[in-house]
Amino acid sequence: MNIEDLTPTERRLWEAFPKGEAVDLSSGDAAFDDTGQADRWGHDRVVRAEVLVALLVGAVEPEPGQVAAVRLGGARVTGSLNLGHADVSVPLALTGCSFDEAPHLYWASMNSVHLMRCRLPGLIASGTRVDGHLWLEGSRITGGLWLDGANITGILNMSGVQLSNPGGDALLADRLTVEANVYCDQGFTSNGEVRLPGARIGGQLILRGARLSNPSGPALYASRLDVAANVFCDGGFTAEGEVRLRGASVGGYLSFVGARLSAPGRTALNADDLTVETDIYCSDGFTAIGAVSFSGARVTGQLSLRDARLRHDQGTALSLQRVQAEELLLRTAEPIQGTADLSYARINLLRDDAASWPERLQLDGLQYETLEPPLTARQRLDWLRRDTDGYAPQPYERLAATYRALGLDADGRYVLLAKARDRRRTQGLSRKIVGWMQDGLVGYGYRPFRAASWLIGLLAFGTIVFSLHKPDVLDSGQKPHFNPFFYTLDLILPIGTLGQEMAFAPKGVYQWIANFIVAAGLVLGLTVAAGVTRALSRE
């Protein structure tokens, strides 16, 4: 480029470049200097993009002992800033500038790039390598920000950035690699899809206070995202549209504290197969309109839903199917509106609250070691009976085992008795009749001494009857002593003899009574024996 072709403004920049000095074209009037007013700026604030390209690719040598750089503020950049495949060894720092055309940095190798408080009709940096920071703080970008396949060795700062590409990709960052932190906070907004699938972040991902909007699809699509440290989607974070973190990996903790997600009739948060090395906080005002799914997620620490509000009336509001977590804190601010699916989850400590239980649960296959609070067996049975799949034996067995582990053996037996009674409702009439008999006589073996009460009653009944009517002596040549108590006891005992039954024989109706006592004694005796054996085997 011939220096004689430069405008006075461009010449100032050209001469400032070798020393890395800044050229500020702003007027000092904040309202007038807003990039939205760029059409009103005079020619003295216009810089052609080709001048910037020439400086960045080596048209001017740095001054000895100085660090050359393009540092420009308050300019309107006309033409196409095309650095595709370029090797740029000097920093680019533009502040408060407005671009007529979207810059093209695809597959370029850049030193560091600062585009702060700029206005751009798009930014294409696919495959770009930045040896340093990419700083976009406070900029407004329409038409899409493309960072797919880019590699940034420092920080990616998008604090306060406003992205707008309704119905399209507001941020396209598939397979992005950032070796330090990514900041999307302090007023970051997007209208369109924010895409981070397969991205790798070596520090923290900070979306604190961000506002994402893409009602017709995903607001944040970050499947297989890999973050070495923490992820913050809190501090007023909102998403209108789905948030997808399926298969993502977080090396620290994931915070949705106070976040508000909205995807009515769809999945508001899809975190299936997510891996988190410490804790997940969907708590303290976290609100989701639409399903929240952590199916298959693995959480080394706590998964907290304390004081959360979940609503998905027509389906599963919360899916924790196959979740593995050290602790689950399920004490929501109000009952979950929709089904909560905990089937086949594996939790060491389950902390819940009866006041937050949804009307519909799925609990088959749920494994837990400790309940806090354990509550009474009667209360916990109400919890089990909310299962939409109806009777299944495993939830009862698991609850009973937990009570026994806590030393609450009576509650454990009560649960197993309820299990037998609930199973009876699913059986045919013949089995129900047998079940009613087992329940009434011995409580399905969990009340083994209830049959002993029946035996005592039977003994008392026989004693009274035969006290009032003594049976005839079988051998008239003998005169044995008759004792109605021992006679009745002899009838009841299925084995052995006390000598009374063999010596006396009642007649008529009393013979029928004696036969009834014999039959009932046999049944009750065997029932007691079976119940005691079953109780001992459980111990």
Side-chain angles (χ1 to χ4, degrees), residues 460-494:
F461 169 72
T463 301
I464 294 171
V465 169
F466 294 114
S467 294
L468 298 175
H469 185 86
K470 177 182 175 181
D472 294 336
V473 177
L474 283 174
D475 188 350
S476 58
Q478 297 182 8
K479 295 183 179 180
H481 174 71
F482 177 73
N483 186 307
F485 174 82
F486 286 107
Y487 178 74
T488 305
L489 184 58
D490 207 359
L491 293 173
I492 290 173
L493 291 175

Side-chain angles (χ1 to χ4, degrees), residues 497-521:
T497 180
L498 300 177
Q500 294 283 306
E501 184 181 2
M502 302 299 295
F504 300 93
K507 294 181 180 179
V509 68
Y510 296 100
Q511 184 178 359
W512 285 101
I513 293 174
N515 291 339
F516 168 75
I517 292 174
V518 171

Side-chain angles (χ1 to χ4, degrees), residues 62-83:
E63 191 169 303
Q66 301 293 325
V67 177
V70 173
R71 304 186 190 279
L72 178 64
R76 177 181 176 182
V77 181
T78 60
S80 175
L81 180 63
N82 192 337
L83 291 167

Side-chain angles (χ1 to χ4, degrees), residues 83-92 104-114 124-135 146-156 175-180 200:
L83 291 167
H85 300 280
D87 188 355
V88 179
S89 60
V90 296
L92 171 63
H104 289 70
L105 310 180
Y106 54 86
W107 295 104
S109 179
M110 309 290 293
N111 181 276
S112 67
V113 179
H114 287 205
I124 302 172
S126 302
T128 301
R129 177 178 176 83
V130 179
D131 289 319
H133 305 318
L134 176 56
W135 216 270
W146 293 8
L147 295 174
D148 51 308
N151 190 318
I152 302 167
T153 63
I155 293 171
L156 172 57
R175 305 176 308 283
L176 169 70
T177 299
V178 180
E179 296 183 16
R200 293 189 299 111

